[in-house]
Each structure stands twice: as structure tokens, then as C-alpha cells.
Amino acid sequence: MLPCTSWGLWRSAILTLKTFRASPSRRGLCIPTRAVCDAETIFALSSGHGRCGVAVVRVSGPASSMVLRNMAGLTQALPSPRTALLRRITDPQSKELLDRGLVLWFQGPHSFTGEDSAEFHIHGGPAVITAVLQALGSLEGVRPAEAGEFTRRAFHAGKLGLTEVEGLGDLIHAETEAQRRQALRQMDGELGRLYQDWGYRLKRCLAHVEAFIDFSEDELIEDGVLNQVDSSVRQLEAEIERHLKDERRGERLRSGVQVVIAGATNAGKSSLLNTLCQRPAAIVSPIAGTTRDIVETSLDIGGFPVLLSDTAGLRDSSDSVEREGVRRARQRVEQADLTLVVVDSTQLPPDPQLVPAFLQEHLSTVLPSPSPEAGMEAASDRVLLVLNKSDLVPEEQRERTEGELRESTGLPPACFLSCYTSTGLEDFLTVLQSRVKTLCGDPLSGAPSLTQARHRAHLQQSVQALIQYHQYRDQDLALAAEGVRLALTHLGRITGRVGAEEILDIIFRDFCIGK
């Protein structure tokens, strides 16, 4: 048995032994360093371009204190960290007054980037901003920042994980309330903590397998260790697979729900687009086949982002341009998250009992055939029927038709609507908002959602790697361990944090080598 005093020697030996097997550089991992090694000081306008009341210019790097002294005329001590000080801001070369504004000092590591940083809060006129930026650029060792460089330095300083960085970017670009909520939740670290928890559990599994490989022959490892690993790996695999089965809600909320308006010519598709976006985005004409190409517009429906597309009317045509428009329309319907099938109400059968069968046949000409796995019911969840021109249908006939449609099965929800009089618009918007919300989910409830395609790809590869562990568990434990290591690698590529030293920490914390 090994005495506890020899752990340090064993630790060094194990680390040397595993240098190649667990090398982060070999695995292609992105590991942030705690000390930022950037020697250059950077600056940039952080408040966005254009006229505004106050503009914020940010400086970060080792020369930030020098910049603050030279620009704000500070001959004595720097201001207290995070305390605003009103100063005359001057050109360090010509000593010309540029503006009067607030200056703030952030001493590293207690700053956004983890470095010494300074901020200049100046008036937001273009001439003032240009003068201050030019003055900063004249200082030695100071240069304009590249796109995203402040956030990159925060990542390398360990201030933000990769998922938090992505959440910050999404928050900056958020256009709707739901996007803001999802981005803020991710920037707050919820998604990163979920992945880090999985990563920690995988590190434990890998540490236990590695310890079993290295020490089991000397009877230094407790019995049942591999059984515990088996159970943990199965549980992790199930949790990741459940996380992947989210129907792309988070990604859809981040990029917008693809809603496509489709149907026959002259059904009122372009009128519906104009009604929803409340402007003449598409040409409306009684001439069939007016719309030839895809007309897109972005909407905020109930706080959820929607990319609404108007398409060419679906019909056979000898016109090559119109045929191309029809082809593009059908392609867009196949890619849609939600299809609004517009039907001219005046073309419905006079007998309300025949309407469900008529609509069913009409849908088969507009929608692609559902896959056997999805089925017709799942396909109808992505469709809304819009029975337009309801103002031209007698009220009694419309009410009887609505009754028949409520009792019919196998049809998607149908809404009578008049784009001309706006009758039925409020009810239609309520149904549309409900469908969009279902497609995106509630960003504040349940586990945090997948928001990036790269997250999905790495998680799918993690699952495949855990399957490799089960395949080789009883044949070659080293290959099985490699499966766990690959799974950990892909998780590390999502968060940007994983290393061999962390695995050794767990080995020596969880196992008393020499027990």
C-alpha cells in the first residue's frame, strides 16, 4: 500500500505518464488562461455609432492608467475604482481641450476584461467622438480594438465562458422580448453551468477509469468503481439526449420563426403580408401571378421574432419566370417552421359539410408529403388555414362552415379573415401568437435551451463518444476511457474550459491511492 505522504510523487508520475494521452493541445481544446498575456492596450467606442447624448469610450490594457492620466490631466493619484470623476479631457499632444466628461477607473482584475481599464463618458456628437478617438490613437502602445476584442480578453481572463460570451452577443442583437430573456439567461451562465456540471461528472468518470487502469492490478482501487462509472455514463447520456430533443426551440427563438404564406394565386397572400406588417411590403393586384419572388419581412409577434415570407401563387404555368417562383415557393414551404395556407373563402363549396374534404385536398397540393416518422398530425401542427375574403361570404354560410370545421378532425386550425375589412384579424393573431410561442417555448421556464448549432453538433458527438464507452467497456478499457475523454473534449469545446490537471485533481481527491 502507498502511504499518503507519497501522493505527491505519484501525482508527478501520473501527470508525466498522461501528458500525451490527456494533452489539451492534442485534443484541440480551447482553454482560457487566468492571466491575460495581451501586452497591448486597446480602445474603442463602446456605446454604438450615431448622435447620442452620452458616448462611452472604453480603454483596456496595461497602459490604461497612463492613458487616463494623460487624457484627463491627472497629476495625482488615480480616482477610486468605479467612481465617476468630472474632468477636462484634452489631447495629450497638443493639450487642446476636447470635451468635459466623466472618467472612470477599473483596476484589474476587477473589470470586465480582467485588466486595468478606463472609461471616458463624453458628449455623443460625431466631432467629439472622433477627436477623442484620434487623441487615444496618438498615444504610444495604444491601438484601436478589433471587433469583439474586449469580450475575447474577458474570456481569456476567465471572466466569461464561451456560452456566456455567446449569450452576451445574443443580448446585444436581441430585437424581441423573448430573445432578450433567453440571451440574458444564457449570459447569466445557466447554460454554461449545465454543461460544466456535465463536464465535471465526465471528469469524475474519466478520473475513476484512469485510476482503475493504472492502479487496479495493485489492488489500490475500491471494488465497484467501474460499475459506478457505468451508471454515471448512462445517466449522462440520457440527460444529454433529452436536452437535444428540444425541437430546436432555442435556436428558433434566437434566429426567428420561419413563417411562410402559401396558397393558390389571388387568394390574398400578399394582402395578408401587408396586413400583418402594417405597410405595403408586397404589391397587391387582381392579376394572378403578381408575386414571383420571395418577399420577406421581420415581425415581432407577442415578443417572439418572426421572419414572414410571401411566396408566389402555386399553379402550373408556361411562364419560365413564374415557374421559378413556384419552385422557390415550394422550397420555402418545405423549410418553414409554420405555414399559413391562404384560401379564397369564395372558392369553398356552398355546402359546409363538403368544406373539410375540400380543404384536405387543397392542403395536399400546397404542403409537402409528411414523412412516415412525422405523420399527418405532426405536420398539421406546423400549419394554419387562413380563409381570406370572409367579407364576401354570407354570414350564415360562414357560421355553418365554422361549425363543421370545429367538428372535423385531421385539419389544422382554420381562421376566417378579411384582409380588406380586418374582420377576424384579432382572433387570427391570437392563434398565430400561440403557435409561435409553442414553437419557441418559454425562455424562462425549464432547463436552458440550446441556442447555437455548434452546441448541438458537439453534444451529438458527445453522445456518440459515450456510446463508444459502452461498446469497449468489456473489451478494451483504454478505448472505453478514450470515449469518455472524447465526450469531455466536445463538452469542453462548448464551454471553452477543460484540462488534464482537473482530471488529476479528482483522482487524488476521490481516491486515497494507498488505501
Side-chain angles (χ1 to χ4, degrees):
M1 297 303 233
L2 298 174
C4 291
T5 53
S6 65
W7 284 10
L9 295 175
W10 274 96
R11 183 184 180 86
S12 300
I14 298 169
L15 184 58
T16 302
L17 178 66
K18 298 183 187 298
T19 297
F20 177 75
R21 282 168 57 184
S23 169
S25 59
R26 175 177 175 250
R27 300 295 170 195
L29 297 180
C30 179
I31 302 177
T33 56
R34 290 296 168 183
V36 179
C37 58
D38 295 286
E40 294 180 303
T41 297
I42 57 175
F43 68 90
L45 176 66
S46 296
S47 55
H49 297 277
R51 288 181 175 85
C52 55
V54 177
V56 178
V57 177
R58 176 183 288 171
V59 181
S60 182
S64 294
S65 60
M66 177 272 292
V67 170
L68 191 57
R69 292 179 188 277
N70 287 339
M71 295 285 292
L74 295 172
T75 57
Q76 303 298 322
L78 292 169
S80 300
R82 293 172 296 283
T83 300
L85 187 65
L86 180 62
R87 299 293 297 179
R88 293 165 56 90
I89 298 172
T90 60
D91 187 315
Q93 307 296 332
S94 65
K95 305 304 180 184
E96 178 188 357
L97 177 66
L98 304 178
D99 194 15
R100 293 183 73 229
L102 299 177
V103 297
L104 292 96
W105 167 246
F106 302 90
Q107 188 171 14
H110 306 296
S111 68
F112 174 73
T113 60
E115 306 172 311
D116 286 349
S117 300
E119 287 184 2
F120 297 87
H121 293 211
I122 58 178
H123 293 97
V128 176
I129 294 172
T130 300
V132 171
L133 293 180
Q134 287 179 346
L136 286 169
S138 68
L139 293 170
E140 186 177 352
V142 182
R143 63 168 177 82
E146 298 175 0
E149 190 168 1
F150 286 95
T151 305
R152 179 179 295 182
R153 292 191 178 198
F155 167 70
H156 285 301
K159 292 287 185 176
L160 296 172
L162 281 183
T163 55
E164 295 166 40
V165 168
E166 290 166 330
L168 175 59
D170 289 347
L171 184 63
I172 292 172
H173 293 98
E175 296 180 349
T176 71
E177 187 67 11
Q179 286 178 318
R180 179 192 65 79
R181 289 171 178 169
Q182 176 171 274
L184 196 58
R185 188 178 183 187
Q186 182 171 333
M187 192 187 75
D188 196 41
E190 282 197 53
L191 192 63
R193 285 192 292 272
L194 174 65
Y195 295 157
Q196 286 168 15
D197 174 66
W198 287 345
Y200 174 75
R201 289 155 65 186
L202 277 175
K203 290 170 195 171
R204 284 176 59 90
C205 291
L206 181 58
H208 293 184
V209 175
E210 296 281 12
F212 187 88
I213 293 173
D214 292 330
F215 300 111
S216 61
E217 293 181 0
D218 299 324
E219 298 182 353
L220 300 175
I221 300 298
E222 300 172 345
D223 295 334
V225 166
L226 289 185
N227 292 335
Q228 295 175 15
V229 172
D230 294 343
S231 176
S232 297
V233 168
R234 278 193 296 269
Q235 185 176 355
L236 276 167
E237 186 179 341
E239 289 180 23
I240 296 174
E241 287 181 333
R242 280 198 302 271
H243 186 59
L244 286 168
K245 293 177 181 177
D246 66 341
E247 298 183 353
R248 294 180 54 250
R249 288 190 180 92
E251 294 165 78
R252 190 178 290 118
L253 175 55
R254 178 175 178 268
S255 59
V257 180
Q258 299 283 339
V259 178
V260 175
I261 303 173
T265 56
N266 269 13
K269 299 184 300 300
S270 297
S271 296
L272 178 61
L273 176 77
N274 293 344
T275 299
L276 291 175
C277 67
Q278 298 181 341
R279 62 183 178 86
I283 298 173
V284 176
S285 167
I287 302 173
T290 302
T291 303
R292 301 292 185 93
D293 209 344
I294 308 295
V295 180
E296 293 182 340
T297 185
S298 297
L299 296 178
D300 179 342
I301 296 182
F304 294 90
V306 167
L307 183 63
L308 186 64
S309 302
D310 182 24
T311 61
L314 303 178
R315 68 171 181 176
D316 295 328
S317 174
S318 59
D319 188 323
S320 60
V321 176
E322 187 173 0
R323 285 202 306 271
E324 175 61 19
V326 170
R327 186 195 68 79
R328 294 186 182 190
R330 294 195 180 279
Q331 182 183 55
R332 188 59 65 94
V333 169
E334 290 179 358
Q335 299 167 348
D337 297 314
L338 179 64
T339 304
L340 307 180
V341 179
V342 183
V343 180
D344 185 345
S345 297
T346 63
Q347 303 298 315
L348 297 175
D351 184 353
Q353 293 182 343
L354 301 178
V355 171
F358 173 85
L359 292 176
Q360 196 72 62
E361 183 179 354
H362 182 72
L363 286 173
S364 67
T365 66
V366 176
L367 304 175
S369 301
S371 63
E373 303 82 30
M376 182 62 73
E377 185 175 339
S380 66
D381 289 340
R382 301 292 181 89
V383 180
L384 285 180
L385 276 166
V386 182
L387 307 181
N388 192 26
K389 305 182 184 181
S390 63
D391 56 305
L392 302 179
V393 178
E395 184 176 352
E396 182 183 353
Q397 181 182 345
R398 187 178 71 246
E399 290 175 353
R400 291 175 57 200
T401 301
E402 286 177 333
E404 288 291 335
L405 292 175
R406 279 194 296 268
E407 295 177 4
S408 66
T409 57
L411 277 176
C415 302
F416 273 97
L417 172 67
S418 171
C419 292
Y420 182 71
T421 65
S422 296
T423 303
L425 179 60
E426 187 174 341
D427 292 339
F428 167 69
L429 287 175
T430 299
V431 175
L432 177 59
Q433 180 178 331
S434 175
R435 283 303 176 95
V436 169
K437 183 176 181 180
T438 300
L439 288 169
C440 292
D442 185 350
L444 296 182
S445 66
S449 300
L450 275 166
T451 59
Q452 302 273 348
R454 75 173 194 92
H455 297 179
R456 186 174 300 277
H458 284 306
L459 289 173
Q460 288 170 339
Q461 290 168 317
S462 290
V463 170
Q464 292 301 314
L466 294 179
I467 292 174
Q468 175 182 324
Y469 169 82
H470 296 303
Q471 290 175 338
Y472 291 101
R473 159 68 165 80
D474 297 323
Q475 302 175 29
D476 188 325
L477 202 53
L479 287 177
E482 185 65 14
V484 180
R485 192 188 307 280
L486 285 173
L488 182 59
T489 295
H490 287 294
L491 271 178
R493 285 175 178 165
I494 297 175
T495 62
R497 293 170 180 165
V498 67
E501 184 67 19
E502 293 172 318
I503 297 169
L504 292 177
D505 287 340
I506 295 170
I507 290 179
F508 284 89
R509 183 175 66 247
D510 288 2
F511 290 88
C512 182
I513 307 298
K515 179 180 176 182

